[in-house]
Amino acid sequence: MNIRIGYGVDVHQLAENYPLWIGGLKIESDLGAVGHSDADVLLHAICDALLGAANLRDIGFHFSDTDPQFKGIDSKILLKEVYNKVNEKGYSVINIDSTVILEKPKLNPHIPAMQRAIAEILKIEEDAVSIKATTHEKVDSFGERRAIKAYAACLLEKK
Ligand SMILES: [Zn+2]
């Protein structure tokens, strides 16, 4: 069996008057994530994990953050395109494991809907998409609600 591991990490600044998109969902929050796209930190970390496992560079290489065509883009579209690139190289996804670091709001109630959104794009079972949420215990930029961070790992299988 030819399997490959990948991991990705992403950070976005938090600020007022921005929406908070995480895992393909818009989350109700007083602070949102700042970015050129919709700034979905979890989908970006998953994109990098998939690209890394297939050795296809990184998300910034494929979708430049200065290119006007990606301004405000729904990151579900980016994840779909990444999935297609990985698929064209002959890989399918076995599973994803991820962690989102956010002081508040609590993400646990939203995790099943995020799992559904991601599983649908990657054509895997919801059970193959793990999303964990943790705070940063009020410490540093994440704990002080100045930033949000996500880590993702994945396994790909050569078809
Ligand atoms: Zn990002």
Side-chain angles (χ1 to χ4, degrees):
M1 188 163 61
N2 189 352
I3 58 171
R4 314 240 317 205
I5 190 170
Y7 89 98
V9 59
D10 193 36
V11 172
H12 283 271
Q13 193 186 331
L14 293 175
E16 285 176 1
N17 302 314
Y18 283 89
L20 184 61
W21 286 92
I22 305 174
L25 296 195
K26 195 175 176 183
I27 308 292
E28 209 47 59
S29 171
D30 56 334
L31 300 180
V34 181
H36 184 67
S37 66
D38 66 3
D40 190 320
V41 73
L42 177 56
L43 295 193
H44 294 177
I46 292 172
C47 282
D48 260 2
L50 294 168
L51 290 169
N55 203 352
L56 286 169
R57 304 289 298 264
D58 57 51
I59 190 170
F61 178 83
H62 295 284
F63 313 107
S64 164
D65 66 2
T66 55
D67 189 333
Q69 71 166 310
F70 302 124
K71 178 132 185 63
I73 195 170
D74 181 343
S75 293
K76 292 191 281 299
I77 294 168
L78 302 183
L79 183 60
K80 231 169 254 175
E81 290 198 19
V82 163
Y83 173 79
N84 289 339
K85 288 177 197 299
V86 163
N87 211 252
E88 278 161 22
K89 204 168 170 180
Y91 293 102
S92 57
V93 182
I94 296 178
N95 76 309
I96 302 283
D97 187 20
S98 63
T99 301
V100 180
I101 298 172
L102 181 67
E103 204 62 23
K104 72 179 192 184
K106 289 268 172 258
L107 293 182
N108 275 321
H110 305 292
I111 284 176
M114 292 178 189
Q115 288 172 309
R116 270 197 296 282
I118 294 163
E120 196 185 311
I121 295 168
L122 301 181
K123 300 185 168 64
I124 49 180
E125 303 275 317
E126 286 164 37
D127 185 50
V129 181
S130 156
I131 302 169
K132 307 183 297 294
T134 186
T135 72
H136 214 256
E137 297 291 332
K138 301 193 168 89
V139 176
D140 295 342
S141 54
F142 306 104
E144 292 162 5
R145 303 191 73 210
R146 291 189 281 121
I148 180 171
K149 188 174 200 172
Y151 297 94
C154 75
L155 275 185
L156 300 184
E157 183 176 18
K158 194 96 178 183
K159 291 177 286 185

